[in-house]
Amino acid sequence: MERPRILVVGGGFAGVECARRLERKLAPAEAEIALVTPFSYQLYLPLLPQVAAGVLTPQSVAVSLRRVLRRTNIIPGGAIGVDTQAKMCVIRTITDKVIVKKYDYIVLAPGSITRTFDIPGLNQYARGVKTLAEAAYIRDHVISQLDLASATTDRAERESRLQFVVVGGGYAGTETAACLQRLTTAAAKRYPRLDPRLIKWHLIDIAPRLMPELGDKLGRTALEILQRRGIEVSLGVSVAEVGEDSVKFTDGRLIPSRTLIWTAGVAASPLIGTLGAETVKGRLAVTAEMRLPGVEGVFALGDAAAVPDLEKGDGAVCPPTAQHGMRQGKAVAGNVVAALRNQPLKPYRHKDLGLVVDLGGMDAVSRPLGVELHGLPAQVVARGYHLMALRTNVAKVRVSTNWTLNATAGDDFVRTGFLARRPAALRDFEYTDAYLTPEQVREHTRSLLAKG
C-alpha cells in the first residue's frame, strides 16, 4: 500500500520545525515526508543584522537542513502554486525547471516577503535585510561607500556616500541601524582621510513610537541608546521618493544618501494568492488547529497564516515572529499526525515568552516573561535566547565563537566583491515575480492529470 505523502512548503522556522517533529512522531512506513525549499539551510533571521555588520559570518546563522532532517526528502526549489482540489503543488526548482508534486497532506509555511509601497524609486534603489544574500550584500555595500568616500575629492559625493537611511522602527530596522552604525564607527578609525563626524545614520518610521511592542519604558530606553550613539531617529516620518544619491522624506527633508535599507514590515508570501482562499490582511485564514477551512489536507502556519491567538482572544492573530513559527511548527505536526491516525486535532495556544532586542556591544533591551531589562542583563538574556533557539550544537558554537572573536579581535572591514558591478535592489533577492496565477496553476495540474 502506498504511503501517505506529506509535503511541507518552506524551510523557515515553522516548516523545518514541522518536518523535524513529523520525523519523530511518524515511523518511516507511516508516511513519506518532503520539504520544498530553495536553500539547503534554515536561516536564523533574527541575527541577520549582525551578519550585515560582520559580527557573525553568514554560515553561522544558516543551519544545515542535512544536519537537522534525517529522512525528509528535500526538494531544492520554491512552491509557486497550489491546486488544493487536485492536491498538487507546482514547484520551480533552482534550475528553473517547473515540476508538479502530488500530496495527501500539505503544510504551507512559505514565510513572508518584504512589504513595499508605491514610492518612486523604492524598488530600484532600496535594499532589504530579509535574506542571507541581502545581509552579505549590505555589508559589502556599506564598506564600499566608505572606500569610495575616502577616495573621492568631490564633497557632494562624499556626503552622499557617508549618510545612511534605515526605514522601519521595528526589531529588524532598529537592530540593523544599531549594528551597522557600530560597524561604520569602528571602520572610520581605519580611514585617515575621512572625518568620522560626516558619517550619519538616520532611522525613520511612520509610527509615533519606536518598537511599541516593548512598551513605553523600554522603547524610550532603546531610543536613548540610539540617539546617544548619534543615530538620528525620526518618528511619524516616511519616505516620499528615492533617487540614486538622495532620499526625500515625507516631512520635506532631502537627505543626500546612496544607501536606503528598507525594513518597513513584511507581507505574506505571494504563494498564498495562488490558492484562491480567504485571507486576513494577506495571510491565509485558518482555524485554531491551523487547518484551511473547507479544504481537505491543507494546513498553514507561520508568517503566511493568520493563526488565531487564543491567549489574547477578540479576533487577534499570532504575530509573524520566530517564536510563534517554531511552536506552531511543532503543533501543526501533531495535528497532521492526528489527521493521519483519525484522532482529534488540538488548537494552537502559546503564551508570549517576551521580546529581545540586541543593539550590539553591551547595549540591549529585553522583556523576558514581562520583566523589563536593559544593558548587560538584557544582552545576556538576548544572546542566551538566540543560542537556545539555534537548532544545532554546531550553529551554537559558531555563533558564540563569532561573538567572542568580534568582541576581542574586532573586524577587518573586508569587502568580498559580492554583486559589486551591478547594484542590487529588493526585487533581485526575493523573486516575487516567480509565482503563478490560480489559472496557471490549474493548467499545470490539468496537463499532468491528462498525462496520468
Side-chain angles (χ1 to χ4, degrees):
M1 185 176 177
E2 189 177 358
R3 294 179 298 169
R5 295 159 296 195
I6 303 173
L7 183 63
V8 181
V9 175
F13 291 108
V16 172
E17 204 60 46
C18 175
R20 288 178 77 241
R21 187 54 63 100
L22 286 171
E23 285 190 351
R24 292 183 183 181
K25 286 180 169 285
L26 293 172
E30 284 188 270
E32 171 191 311
I33 307 168
L35 174 70
V36 182
T37 175
F39 306 110
S40 61
Y41 57 79
Q42 176 195 6
L43 177 62
Y44 190 75
L45 205 64
L47 290 178
L48 271 188
Q50 296 192 36
V51 173
V55 176
L56 300 176
T57 61
Q59 189 180 11
S60 63
V61 300
V63 180
S64 169
L65 294 182
R66 304 292 175 182
R67 285 184 181 270
V68 175
L69 302 174
R70 302 295 180 177
R71 57 186 177 88
T72 298
N73 176 30
I74 299 173
I75 303 172
I80 57 174
V82 179
D83 186 336
T84 57
Q85 299 303 314
K87 287 195 170 184
M88 294 182 184
C89 180
V90 184
I91 300 166
R92 189 188 302 276
T93 69
I94 57 174
T95 58
D96 280 336
K97 180 182 178 182
V98 176
I99 62 174
V100 177
K101 181 80 173 175
K102 296 180 180 179
Y103 66 83
D104 295 295
Y105 296 91
I106 189 169
V107 177
L108 298 173
S112 58
I113 60 171
T114 301
R115 182 183 60 184
T116 59
F117 301 97
D118 189 18
I119 297 172
L122 181 67
N123 286 326
Q124 186 176 358
Y125 296 112
R127 284 93 184 177
V129 194
K130 195 77 173 64
T131 68
L132 196 58
E134 280 179 308
Y137 173 77
I138 285 175
R139 173 175 166 80
D140 261 23
H141 172 79
V142 168
I143 295 174
S144 71
Q145 298 311 298
L146 299 179
D147 288 345
L148 292 166
S150 178
T152 187
T153 56
D154 186 307
R155 182 176 178 179
E157 180 186 350
R158 179 181 290 124
E159 186 179 6
S160 68
R161 293 196 183 281
L162 294 180
Q163 293 211 56
F164 306 89
V165 179
V166 179
V167 183
Y171 304 110
T174 303
E175 289 187 338
T176 297
C179 290
L180 286 173
Q181 183 273 337
R182 281 178 56 84
L183 168 70
T184 55
T185 299
K189 299 172 184 176
R190 309 283 181 89
Y191 292 84
R193 297 186 71 248
L194 287 184
D195 182 350
R197 293 172 296 183
L198 294 177
I199 302 174
K200 297 179 182 178
W201 281 88
H202 302 264
L203 175 63
I204 71 171
D205 193 272
I206 195 65
R209 288 188 298 161
L210 193 69
M211 292 184 293
E213 300 89 345
L214 284 173
D216 290 340
K217 184 178 178 181
L218 283 184
R220 283 196 304 270
T221 301
L223 178 61
E224 289 167 3
I225 291 171
L226 298 180
Q227 291 175 333
R228 189 167 63 242
R229 290 192 193 171
I231 298 174
E232 185 174 322
V233 181
S234 301
L235 300 174
V237 177
S238 189
V239 174
E241 186 176 349
V242 188
E244 184 179 0
D245 56 5
S246 65
V247 179
K248 186 176 182 180
F249 294 170
T250 52
D251 61 4
R253 282 180 292 165
L254 186 67
I255 305 296
S257 174
R258 295 173 188 250
T259 306
L260 176 69
I261 301 174
W262 181 268
T263 67
V266 296
S269 166
L271 177 67
I272 299 307
T274 72
L275 276 74
E278 182 186 351
T279 59
V280 178
K281 294 183 178 179
R283 300 166 72 184
L284 203 58
V286 296
T287 66
E289 294 78 20
M290 292 170 283
R291 200 167 194 169
L292 186 62
V295 184
E296 184 184 355
V298 180
F299 296 82
L301 66 162
D303 293 6
V307 179
D309 191 334
L310 299 182
E311 291 294 326
K312 292 183 179 179
D314 295 326
V317 297
C318 297
T321 63
Q323 188 180 135
H324 278 289
M326 287 189 287
R327 285 157 180 79
Q328 288 172 6
K330 294 177 182 178
V332 85
N335 282 341
V336 171
V337 173
L340 267 171
R341 297 172 179 172
N342 294 316
Q343 297 171 348
L345 277 59
K346 296 180 180 179
Y348 171 73
R349 281 186 176 273
H350 171 65
K351 191 171 183 180
D352 204 332
L353 298 179
L355 306 164
V356 296
V357 182
D358 188 338
L359 299 175
M362 304 292 281
D363 293 325
V365 288
S366 301
R367 196 176 65 189
L369 300 174
V371 179
E372 296 187 344
L373 302 171
H374 63 88
L376 182 59
Q379 186 64 282
V380 171
V381 170
R383 296 201 167 181
Y385 172 79
H386 290 317
L387 288 176
M388 178 186 69
L390 287 165
R391 276 292 162 250
T392 66
N393 290 329
V394 172
K396 297 176 197 288
V397 170
R398 281 186 177 137
V399 167
S400 56
T401 301
N402 283 176
W403 279 335
T404 303
L405 282 173
N406 186 265
T408 56
D411 195 336
D412 285 329
F413 314 108
V414 174
R415 283 186 291 116
T416 63
F418 181 50
L419 290 178
R421 294 294 180 185
R422 184 177 65 86
L426 289 171
R427 62 175 177 266
D428 296 308
F429 291 102
E430 298 190 37
Y431 308 105
T432 53
D433 57 351
Y435 296 87
L436 304 178
T437 64
E439 292 74 22
Q440 290 172 322
V441 173
R442 285 192 289 271
E443 283 178 19
H444 278 281
T445 56
R446 276 198 299 266
S447 63
L448 182 68
L449 290 170
K451 292 177 184 177

